[in-house]
Structure formats: C-alpha cells, structure tokens
Amino acid sequence: MADAQLSRGNDGDCEVDCQASENVAPSVLANCGRPRLLSNLFAQMPGTVFQLRLEPDGRAYYPYISQSVFDLYGISPESLRKDASLLLRAVHPADRNAVVRALHDSRQSMHPCRREFRAILSDGSLRWRLAEAMPKRLSDGSTVWDGYVCDISSQKELEELLWRQINFDVLTRLPNRQLFRSHLEQAMKQARRDNSQLALLSLDIDNFKDVNDTLGHDVGDRLLWMAAQRLQECVRESDIIARLGGDEFIIILNCLGDHGGVKRVSREILKRLAEPFALGEHVSHVSASIGITFYPQDGLGVEDLLRNADHAMYAAKRRGRNCFSLYTPSMQEIANNRMTLTNDLRAALVDYPFQLYYQPLVELGSGEVRKAEALIRWQHPVRGLVNPAEFISIAEETGMIDAIGNWVFNTAALQAAAWRDAMHPDFQISINLSPAQFRADDGALKSWMSRLPQLGVSGAAIAVEITEGLLLEASDDVLQHFLALRDAGIQVALDDFGTGFSSLSYLKKFDIDYIKIDRSFIQNLAIGSDDMALCEAIIVMSHKLGIKVVAEGVETEAQRDLLIAAGCDFAQGYLFSRPLPAFEFSAWLQERHSSGSQE
Ligand code: C2E
Ligand code: CA
Ligand code: CA
C-alpha cells in the first residue's frame, strides 16, 4: 500500500519514513513470478490488487499493483516506482497514521491487516476504502503482503443512513432519545472538566393532543416540525435539542454562567411557542410547559437529571401550563404522592367511593335557587375526603376521567330528576366537563344524551360547564358536540371566564348560555376598581349576546351588592353556601324557603 519505513516513535505512535525504491515494477505481475493469466484476471477485478514488500532495512515497494490505481489517484507507474509513499499520501490525513499502524501491527504479529480508510482521488473526491492484506515473512527477513483494496463507499453511506435512522428523529431531524443520552453524558463530562454547570430542560407542548385529535396527525406533525425550528432559534449552536417522542423535547444548555441565562432562554422559548402556528388553512395556538434541572447541583446521573426535569415539567403543568419550573427536591415527594394517588384512584374505579357535593347558584334578582353546581369529592380510605383539585388532573392524564365523568353524569342526572320532583320543576344541575371528555369522539356525550330518556330526565335538567380552551380550537368536532348538546336541550356554561383568552368573539360562534366570571375577579371587587370595571363590561357584553352571567366565589355581602348593581344574573359562593352533600343541600334549601332568606 505504501513505500514506508515503519517504526515506532518514542511516544508509541507510528511514524512513517518514506523512501524511494529503484526496483519497484508496478503492475508487472510477471516480474515477481506470477503467471500472466492471473495478472490479466486481476486487471479485470474492481478494486486494487497489490503486493507490498517491506525489506528488513525499511525500504518498501510494490512488486505488483493493479493498473487502475494510476488513473484513480492521478499518479504514474514511474513516480510510484520512485516514491511508493505516493499512495499513502492519497489516504486522508486523518486516517493515515491508522493505516501505517495497521501495517506495523500486522508485521509484528503476522496477523492479517484489515483497515478502513478514506482515499482522496485524483478529482479531489473522497471515497471510503477497505484494505485487506495477508502478510508472510520471507527468508531474507522481508515482509510481503498480498492484498486487495475495495471501495466501500456505498456500504458506508448505508451505515451512515442507518446510524441517522437509529439516532435521529425522522420528523424533526433532531437527535432522538438514544443520541441525546450520549450527548448528555458528553456534556456532563465536559462540565466536570470545566467545573461548570449545565441545565437540562424538559419541554412538553401543553395542548398538542388537541391539535392531533382535531386537525389530524399530518397537521400535528407539521406543528412539531415548526416547533422544533423555533426551539433551535432560541438556543446557541452548542446547545443540544432532542425530541424524545410525541410532543416531548429535551434541551441541554451548556456552560452556564448563572441561572438567569436559563430563565431567559426558557422565557424566550415560551414566547416563541405561543406565537400562532400557520398550518395550511388552520392557525393553531399552543403553549408549552418547561421543567428545569441543573447538573451537578440537582443530580449526578443521567437518570436522576431526566427524572428531575420531568418532575419540574409536571410542576409547571400543575401551575397552569405555559410556564417553567425549576426542580426542587420536594418535587420528588410530590411525584411519589401522585403515583400513590394514581394507583388509589385506579382502585377506586371498582366501587366508586365518590360523592357529589352541590353548591347553589342564587338568582340575584329574585334570591331564588333553582340551580346548583355538582362538585365531586373522593372518599379516600386513608386520606378522608379528597378535593377534585388533587385528583381531577390525574384522572385527565390517565384517561380515568371518562369513567369518573360518566359516574358524575349519572349521579347528577338522577339527582336533578329527584329535585325537579321535590323542589322545583325547572331545577337544573350543572356538571363540570374536562376538555378531554368534551372532545372524545367515542361518543361519551352522545351516550349521555341517549341515556337521559331512560333516566327519565329532560336535557334541560342538566347544564355542562366547559373552559374557554375548547372554543379556541373551533374544530368541527367541537362544533358538532355543541350542536348535539343544543338538540338535547342541555345548556352550556363557560367556566372560569377571564383566566384564559377571554375572547367574547368566540361566544357568538358557539351557543353559550352562561358565563361564569372567575373567582379571582370577584375577590377584590370594590367601587372604581379595575375588577369592577371588568365585571361590568363582561356583564354588559354578555347580555348583548343573550348570555347570562354567574359570579363565582362570592363571599361577602359587599361583593353581592356590587354584582346586583352591575346587573349580574346569578351568584355562587360561600356567602350563600359551601358545596354540600345532597341531603344537606335539600335541608339548606328548605330552611332558606321557610325563612325567606335572600342570602
Ligand atoms: P370550579 O368549576 O371553578 O368550581 C368552583 C370551585 O370553587 C369549587 O372547588 C368550589 O368549592 C369553590 N368555591 C365555591 N365558592 C367559593 C368561595 O366563595 N370561595 C372560595 N375560595 N372557593 C369557592 P372544588 O369543589 O374544590 O372544585 C375545584 C375544581 O375541580 C372545580 O372548579 C372544577 O374545575 C373541578 N371539578 C369539580 N368537580 C368536577 C367534576 O365532577 N368533573 C370535572 N371534570 N371537574 C370537576
Ligand atoms: Ca365549574
Ligand atoms: Ca369555575
């Protein structure tokens, strides 16, 4: 392969001492005694057949080499005869020492020599080659290799393709989980060396499932691709972004000066992802939740860091999404707690130890109570009564909400029928619907509606409370569900109004019957306050659209009076009653009737 004096330098690396050799007769196989027939045969073969001879004094030459090398590398037989190292110079500099070392080792051990390397062809292009040669020792101490060099470029391309498929996400072209792990290990090693920190960000797109479910997977894929582009625009080239699957991304931010920089990047990411996504004929709005953990501060192992970042991400989700959370050790405890609660909740689906509490909605004009909101409680065997804030999100994440929602619907519908008989023929109970329940196209809502006649309940006895997020989707499915509710005579209330996008323009499009102003606006109601102005505006505009308004969380008489003055239709809150079990609610209502109370 090369005219090279092989020797080991002091540092153990191979050094090459190239010498010209006078008696090389390239391509003349007959010169070294081989039959001409064989020579002709070799000439027909693809690749390069060669014999390389290394003399005891270090001189090397090619007693035979295929004719094709001369065109391939742009050298002449004459020049190769003078300087056999010409071929070694055609090896890519990065691979040259390895080739020499392979020959050296083969000469020492008398084992076959096998080496892949890149060759620089006469046109400057690079090709991958594989050289294989069998050594033998001659009586004069020379070593002779009979070998063959073939082109393995297409095999290498295939390997490269395979490597990309194994290590990269096909959709976003970002590293996948596998490659990410090795990047993280590298980054941790580097941080240890530099005595620096790195941050790991776990990012989840909040309402991605909605996009996929309502607009289809192609559109969902497009959104993910665009999100990946935006993420890349928010970080430096030295940072790593990977897609772990679905709508889960992970980011490694290297060489941090302080935590402020990470927060800045996180804020920028949230801002960029909140910008509308133009997806063909659709425009989608999403947000993201980010969990942040630091190495080495929060954990020393890859698994620890990944788990921390996830815990922090879930904490961000619980804080209301579209935000980031830094990992704290207590998150581990919260996560363990949630895990236990999830298992307990699954077990609860056997005998449904749930209870509905009812909170009255007072009609402010008349003081009458003909509506109540059903609020679920869970009678936990150890913890006692558990509030929905603790388990509804678990039920939503795990899909258990469907079964629980069905139970709520049945129980509330039967209760509404009973109170219609016993208290008032127009009595109505509203139930809370999680977005997932409303969206599910497996017919949860439809089956409820078809069950109403069997239960002997009219649709008007039920109202459903939904949140604004659903309206923003404005998908056909959501619209269809609205129409179906309307057909069944079930009224719809928009819950927690004011906490989301609060766009009144959406209300026109959907048949909304009630708006429930969120408690946070009622808490600080005072004459001349911003919240007062807001409530007044909501009431006026809702009335213009034919929508009635409920104020949530009314706790004081002053709040109630201000709401009456503003023309609010209904109020709900501790001032009137806390949520009560059914029998206590009946008793409360009877007591109220008999005392003629307006509170
Ligand atoms: P929400 O629909 O906004 O329900 C009102 C919450 O405010 C209730 O909390 C109620 O007890 C509380 N509340 C009522 N009046 C006042 C007041 O004057 N002051 C204060 N500070 N709070 C008041 P709860 O029962 O803990 O329910 C929390 C949330 O859980 C509900 O918020 C609702 O989103 C969800 N939820 C409750 N039951 C169900 C259910 O059956 N299904 C679903 N999907 N979600 C439910
Ligand atoms: Ca509600
Ligand atoms: Ca509410």
Side-chain angles (χ1 to χ4, degrees):
M1 275 190 300
D3 183 5
Q5 167 104 28
L6 301 172
S7 63
R8 281 208 171 264
N10 291 341
D11 57 2
D13 278 336
C14 288
E15 286 170 2
V16 188
D17 177 12
C18 302
Q19 289 181 2
S21 171
E22 285 307 308
N23 53 349
V24 181
S27 83
V28 187
L29 201 62
N31 276 6
C32 58
R34 292 179 198 248
R36 183 164 293 279
L37 178 62
L38 214 52
S39 168
N40 288 341
L41 260 176
F42 286 172
Q44 307 292 317
M45 283 174 67
T48 306
V49 178
F50 68 89
Q51 188 177 62
L52 171 64
R53 181 167 173 147
L54 190 63
E55 306 256 322
D57 64 4
R59 283 184 310 159
Y61 57 94
Y62 291 93
Y64 173 78
I65 192 154
S66 304
Q67 193 73 43
S68 56
V69 286
F70 303 116
D71 284 344
L72 216 52
Y73 298 114
I75 52 177
S76 65
E78 192 62 19
S79 56
L80 185 63
R81 192 179 306 132
K82 285 198 182 125
D83 180 2
S85 75
L86 279 181
L87 280 187
L88 188 62
R89 278 187 231 139
V91 174
H92 190 282
D95 299 340
R96 217 171 275 161
N97 267 356
V99 168
V100 174
R101 199 177 303 135
L103 277 172
H104 179 93
D105 293 348
S106 169
R107 189 174 67 160
Q108 297 268 310
S109 65
M110 277 293 133
H111 288 317
C113 171
R114 188 174 198 280
R115 184 78 220 169
E116 289 175 359
F117 61 92
R118 283 159 293 177
I120 306 164
L121 305 194
S122 56
D123 62 1
S125 64
L126 268 188
R127 302 292 294 178
W128 272 102
R129 313 241 128 187
L130 168 67
E132 288 182 285
M134 201 64 167
K136 65 174 180 268
R137 191 91 75 211
L138 302 186
S139 55
D140 68 352
S142 304
T143 310
V144 171
W145 285 273
D146 290 308
Y148 180 66
V149 180
C150 61
D151 192 293
I152 53 164
S153 299
S154 45
Q155 179 191 329
K156 278 281 176 192
E157 272 165 29
L158 213 69
E159 279 174 16
E160 159 83 12
L161 193 76
L162 209 66
W163 185 82
R164 291 198 71 78
Q165 272 172 358
I166 291 171
N167 289 289
F168 284 84
D169 168 44
V170 183
L171 175 65
T172 58
R173 308 248 167 97
L174 292 175
N176 63 13
R177 186 182 292 271
Q178 163 135 341
L179 184 58
F180 158 76
R181 289 183 76 92
S182 71
H183 276 310
L184 180 58
E185 278 160 12
Q186 282 300 320
M188 285 161 66
K189 222 181 262 172
Q190 189 64 40
R192 273 198 301 276
R193 238 178 270 141
D194 304 347
N195 209 9
S196 65
Q197 285 200 73
L198 59 90
L200 196 65
L201 277 63
S202 165
L203 183 149
D204 189 280
I205 297 180
D206 293 325
N207 12 29
F208 179 68
K209 200 175 168 303
D210 303 356
V211 177
N212 246 356
D213 290 352
T214 55
L215 301 178
H217 287 262
D218 285 350
V219 177
D221 282 356
R222 186 150 173 71
L223 188 142
L224 285 176
W225 185 82
M226 289 170 79
Q229 303 300 308
R230 291 188 192 178
L231 287 178
Q232 275 167 317
E233 286 160 20
C234 295
V235 302
R236 295 163 304 180
E237 220 157 280
S238 57
D239 299 324
I240 305 279
I241 304 177
R243 179 174 171 229
L244 298 192
D247 54 343
E248 261 178 274
F249 293 88
I250 196 124
I251 303 167
I252 307 171
L253 300 179
N254 292 299
C255 307
L256 296 167
D258 59 6
H259 292 187
V262 181
K263 291 182 187 168
R264 255 194 316 280
V265 174
S266 303
R267 263 183 228 112
E268 177 64 20
I269 290 175
L270 291 175
K271 194 175 118 218
R272 291 285 283 119
L273 291 183
E275 288 168 14
F277 285 86
L279 306 162
E281 61 209 67
H282 306 282
V283 175
S284 256
H285 293 85
V286 297
S287 58
S289 299
I290 302 177
I292 306 171
T293 191
F294 292 96
Y295 171 86
Q297 176 189 304
D298 298 333
L300 296 177
V302 169
E303 294 305 331
D304 295 337
L305 291 174
L306 279 171
R307 202 181 42 233
N308 292 351
D310 266 359
H311 287 334
M313 190 270 287
Y314 283 118
K317 289 229 184 253
R318 282 195 294 278
R319 273 179 49 209
R321 306 175 166 196
N322 193 24
C323 63
F324 62 83
S325 279
L326 301 185
Y327 170 79
T328 62
S330 66
M331 283 174 187
Q332 179 69 50
E333 205 178 303
I334 293 169
N336 293 345
N337 237 326
R338 259 179 100 76
M339 178 101 82
T340 316
L341 217 54
T342 306
N343 292 336
D344 294 350
L345 193 59
R346 199 159 279 128
L349 293 189
V350 177
D351 50 5
Y352 288 83
F354 302 111
Q355 222 183 327
L356 283 187
Y357 275 40
Y358 297 91
Q359 189 177 33
L361 272 73
V362 179
E363 191 177 331
L364 286 173
S366 62
E368 298 255 25
V369 174
R370 288 189 198 150
K371 295 180 193 302
E373 177 176 4
L375 295 157
I376 194 169
R377 302 289 181 263
W378 172 18
Q379 188 65 51
H380 189 279
V382 181
R383 299 179 191 219
L385 215 55
V386 182
N387 278 327
E390 280 192 74
F391 68 91
I392 288 293
S393 66
I394 296 180
E396 287 173 344
E397 277 164 27
T398 54
M400 287 189 258
I401 194 68
D402 294 334
I404 295 173
N406 281 337
W407 179 88
V408 169
F409 173 78
N410 280 337
T411 312
L414 289 173
Q415 189 62 67
W419 282 341
R420 282 194 154 211
D421 283 346
M423 298 203 289
H424 198 282
D426 291 339
F427 203 88
Q428 184 188 52
I429 294 179
S430 60
I431 58 178
N432 289 282
L433 277 197
S434 296
Q437 287 174 273
F438 195 85
R439 243 182 262 120
D441 44 19
D442 53 3
L445 279 179
K446 269 189 228 131
S447 82
W448 288 3
M449 288 172 227
S450 60
R451 227 177 301 149
L452 282 172
Q454 295 163 21
L455 296 170
V457 187
S458 103
I462 301 288
V464 294
E465 301 195 1
I466 56 162
T467 44
E468 286 165 280
L470 272 175
L471 307 190
L472 289 173
E473 283 172 21
S475 72
D476 279 352
D477 282 352
V478 170
L479 264 169
Q480 288 308 317
H481 283 149
F482 264 98
L483 290 176
L485 285 171
R486 172 78 34 227
D487 288 347
I490 296 177
Q491 292 194 306
V492 180
L494 200 56
D495 211 351
D496 306 338
F497 191 80
T499 55
F501 288 85
S502 312
S503 166
L504 285 163
S505 65
Y506 283 96
L507 304 180
K508 272 194 273 184
K509 202 161 150 190
F510 297 90
D511 256 332
I512 299 290
D513 301 285
Y514 306 93
I515 278 177
K516 301 188 79 172
I517 304 179
D518 190 68
R519 188 167 77 227
S520 54
F521 295 94
I522 309 300
Q523 252 165 12
N524 303 313
L525 271 193
I527 295 171
S529 66
D530 284 353
D531 285 348
M532 189 71 229
L534 229 122
C535 284
E536 282 168 346
I538 293 173
I539 292 166
V540 169
M541 290 172 80
S542 301
H543 285 171
K544 276 207 179 116
L545 296 169
I547 298 170
K548 299 237 186 269
V549 181
V550 183
E552 294 187 313
V554 178
E555 294 183 355
T556 66
E557 289 177 5
Q559 290 165 353
R560 178 200 59 193
D561 293 344
L562 286 171
L563 287 162
I564 291 175
C568 186
D569 304 285
F570 297 90
Q572 179 182 355
Y574 295 167
L575 172 66
F576 310 102
S577 168
R578 288 183 176 258
L580 301 169
F583 68 95
E584 283 185 39
F585 182 90
S586 308
W588 174 85
L589 203 55
Q590 260 154 24
E591 159 72 20
R592 186 179 163 91
H593 275 149
S594 49
S595 70
S597 166
Q598 294 294 293
E599 242 166 46

